[in-house]
Amino acid sequence: MKSQEITIPKLFILTVVPSAISTALYIAVGMVWQSVPSITLFFILSTLTLFIFEISVILLANKRKYGNIGLKIAFSKYRKMDWWKILLYGFVLFGFAGLMSITIGPLEDMVFSKISARLYMTLPAYFNWNNLELMKLYPKNILVFTAVFYIIMNVLILPIIEEIYFRGYLTGEMKNYGAAAPIWVSVAFSFYHWWLPFNNIFRICIFSIASIIAYKKENIYISIVFHCLCNLFSSIVFVISLLS
C-alpha cells in the first residue's frame, strides 16, 4: 500500500498540535512538581510523549507503505555521499547558523523582548531556562544528572529523531510540493518549538537552508550533522554555565 500524501494542513497537525500538547503537559506537571530543574522535566516528558509519537508515526507509515515496521520511509529520498562531504556540509551550515545568530538573532530578540518579558512574568520563574541561579539551588547530584541527560537528549537523541521525522519522513511524503516541501517543513519545525516561541525567524532561516541542501543532495545526514552541531554548541555553553 502507498502512504497518504502529506498536505500542508496535515503537516501542521502532525507537528504543531502534538508539540502543543506536550508543552502544555510540561507546564501542567511543572506547576505541581518541581523536584528536578524545568529543563530536565521537559526532556523527560518530551521523551515519553512527543518523541514516541514521532517515531510511532514513522513506523506506522512505513508499515502502510511497505508492509512492515521500519524507518525505510524516512530514507525514501536517499543518495549515498562520502562521510567527509556530509561533515563539510554540516560544518558550513553550522558556520552560517553562527552568522545568523549574531545578525538576525539579536534583532529578533529585540523585537520580541517585551512579549518575552511578559510571558516570563506570567509563568513561575521555574520555567525560565535562562534563570541559572534558580537551577543552581538544586543539589549537585541533580545538576550533574541534568547536565548529562541534557547533553544526551539535546545533542543526540532529540536532533536525530527530529531530523528523521521532519527532513526524512515529512519532507519525503510531501511529494506534490516539490522543492517547496523542505521550506514548508522548516516553517512547521520552527513553530513546533512552543517551548522556545521567540526565535522563529532565526530557526526558519537556518533550517530552510539546511533542509533545501539535504533535499537537493538527497541525504538527511547533512541536516542531522548540522542539527547536532548546533545543539552541541548550545549544550556546552549551558552545561558550563550550570556547573560553574
Side-chain angles (χ1 to χ4, degrees), residues 103-170:
T103 53
I104 291 179
L107 289 175
E108 190 170 19
D109 290 341
M110 183 177 65
V111 169
F112 292 104
S113 60
K114 291 184 179 179
I115 300 175
S116 176
R118 288 177 182 174
L119 174 64
Y120 287 120
M121 286 177 62
T122 303
L123 290 172
Y126 173 77
F127 293 102
N128 187 348
W129 292 359
N130 294 319
N131 193 340
L132 292 174
E133 295 307 314
L134 178 61
M135 288 190 191
K136 289 180 180 181
L137 295 178
Y138 285 89
K140 191 68 175 182
N141 63 323
I142 291 182
L143 293 182
V144 171
F145 171 78
T146 294
V148 173
F149 187 56
Y150 182 72
I151 290 288
I152 293 172
M153 292 300 300
N154 199 46
V155 178
L156 295 174
I157 296 177
L158 183 151
I160 291 174
I161 291 177
E162 288 182 341
E163 289 305 313
I164 292 174
Y165 187 63
F166 282 89
R167 253 59 67 175
Y169 167 63
L170 294 174

Side-chain angles (χ1 to χ4, degrees), residues 154-155 158-159 162 226-236:
N154 199 46
V155 178
L158 183 151
E162 288 182 341
F226 163 66
H227 199 162
C228 288
L229 284 173
C230 289
N231 286 19
L232 175 62
F233 178 78
S234 63
S235 296
I236 289 174

